[in-house]
Amino acid sequence: MLATVPVDPCSGNARERILAGALALSEHGSHLFFRHSAHFHNPMVARELDALAGESSLDDPAVADVVEALVADLPGLALGIYSPVPIARGLQAARPVDELLTEFRYEMIEVDARQRWSWQGRPVAPKIHRFFLENTRYEAELGLWYFEYRVNDEWWDKSYFRGTTPLRVVSLDEAELEATLNNDTRDRIDALSFRLDADEQLFVDTVASGVVLVSDAVRFALLRNANEACDEIRLGEGWVPLAWPEGHSPT
C-alpha cells in the first residue's frame, strides 16, 4: 500500500506538489528517487520520506515543475525511476529534455513468469544476477522488490524489480513454517496462502518477502502429498488449502 500524502491541489507549495506527483507516478508504475546521505529515497515510502525531511530539493519549485511535467505525460510516460533534481538542474543549464530523460531515467529489472531477468531488453548476466539477488529485499509499502548495495562510502545504488517475484523458496522447514529463499534469507510463510497459477507454478506469501515462487523441487515434494481432490496439501502434521486459478479445475 502506498503512503498517502494529504495534498491541497491549489497549493503552490513545492513539496506538496512533488509528493502529489510522486503518488501519481507510483500508481502508474514509475517512481521518483531523491538522493540524500549517499542513499536514494522514494518519498512514497514513509521512512524514506522521513529521511528526506531536511532535503532542500523537495522545496525547489523547479524540481516540482519537472515532477508535474512527468505526470502530465501520463499514461504515455516510459516506465522507470526518475531523478527529478538532476533533470531540473540540466534544464536550468539549457540541456535538451530528451537527453536528460535518457540520462536520469533508470529502467527497472524485469522478471518474467519463469524468473528470467532482463534489463533494457537484454538478459541479466549470471554474475550480476547473483550479486543483485544477494542484495534483494521487499518493500511492503510499495509491494515491490528492490536491490540496494554500497558502491562506495558516498554512493549506494538502488533499483526496483517489475513483473513477478524475483524470490523463490529453495527449502522449507514444514514444522517451523520457515522458508529459505534464494537470496540467502529465511522467512516465515503463511501456510494458508499456497496457490497455483495457470502454468501450475506454486506461490506462497511470506512475512517479510512478499509473494515468493516455490522452487520445482519443493513444489514436487508438496504436491506429492496432495489429497485426492488436489485442493489440500499435507504440511508437517496437518493439511492446508491449495488454491487453483479461476477457470482451472484441480481434477
Side-chain angles (χ1 to χ4, degrees):
M1 181 177 178
L2 298 177
T4 56
V5 181
V7 174
D8 176 2
C10 298
S11 172
N13 181 282
R15 187 168 295 245
E16 290 184 349
R17 292 166 57 200
I18 288 170
L19 295 179
L23 180 58
L25 291 165
S26 289
E27 291 173 341
H28 166 68
S30 290
H31 306 278
L32 297 180
F33 273 178
F34 291 83
R35 191 175 174 212
H36 180 74
S37 297
H39 290 266
F40 288 109
H41 298 293
N42 184 337
M44 286 295 95
V45 178
R47 69 179 184 284
E48 296 186 13
L49 179 59
D50 288 343
L52 292 169
E55 179 54 57
S56 61
S57 62
L58 270 77
D59 298 309
D60 187 336
V63 176
D65 289 344
V66 167
V67 173
E68 290 181 342
L70 294 173
V71 173
D73 280 345
L74 296 175
L77 183 72
L79 291 176
I81 300 166
Y82 291 85
S83 294
V85 175
I87 294 175
R89 301 296 177 260
L91 291 174
Q92 291 170 341
R95 291 183 59 188
V97 174
D98 290 346
E99 178 182 292
L100 292 167
L101 290 179
T102 298
E103 183 175 351
F104 298 111
R105 180 181 72 87
Y106 197 85
E107 288 200 13
M108 294 172 275
I109 288 181
E110 296 193 40
V111 184
D112 71 10
R114 295 292 177 180
Q115 282 204 318
R116 292 171 297 200
W117 292 21
S118 62
W119 186 66
Q120 294 185 327
R122 297 187 298 273
V124 174
K127 184 176 181 180
I128 297 174
H129 177 285
R130 185 64 214 172
F131 176 73
F132 283 173
L133 189 59
E134 290 170 353
N135 294 281
T136 293
R137 299 294 182 268
Y138 181 66
E139 181 50 72
E141 285 190 62
L142 299 177
L144 290 174
W145 295 266
Y146 68 97
F147 63 85
E148 184 178 30
Y149 63 92
R150 186 175 69 86
V151 178
N152 54 52
D153 290 342
E154 302 298 325
W155 189 279
W156 284 70
D157 201 8
K158 180 181 180 181
S159 188
Y160 295 123
F161 295 89
R162 59 187 299 260
T164 192
T165 173
L167 300 178
R168 68 177 186 272
V169 176
V170 295
S171 66
L172 179 62
D173 184 331
E174 296 185 21
E176 298 295 329
L177 299 180
E178 191 171 69
T180 299
L181 306 181
N182 58 334
N183 64 343
D184 297 325
T185 63
R186 292 175 66 85
D187 201 350
R188 188 171 177 82
I189 65 166
D190 176 357
L192 302 180
S193 68
F194 283 103
R195 68 266 195 192
L196 292 161
D197 67 4
D199 295 321
E200 297 192 11
Q201 293 190 110
L202 184 62
F203 294 85
V204 68
D205 294 341
T206 65
V207 171
S209 304
V211 178
V212 297
L213 176 68
V214 178
S215 67
D216 286 343
V218 178
R219 175 171 64 96
F220 292 147
L222 290 172
L223 295 183
R224 277 199 300 268
N225 292 320
N227 65 352
E228 186 174 349
C230 291
D231 59 5
E232 290 186 326
I233 53 178
R234 188 163 186 82
L235 191 68
E237 298 300 317
W239 293 87
V240 297
L242 174 63
W244 287 71
E246 185 175 355
H248 290 75
S249 172
T251 57

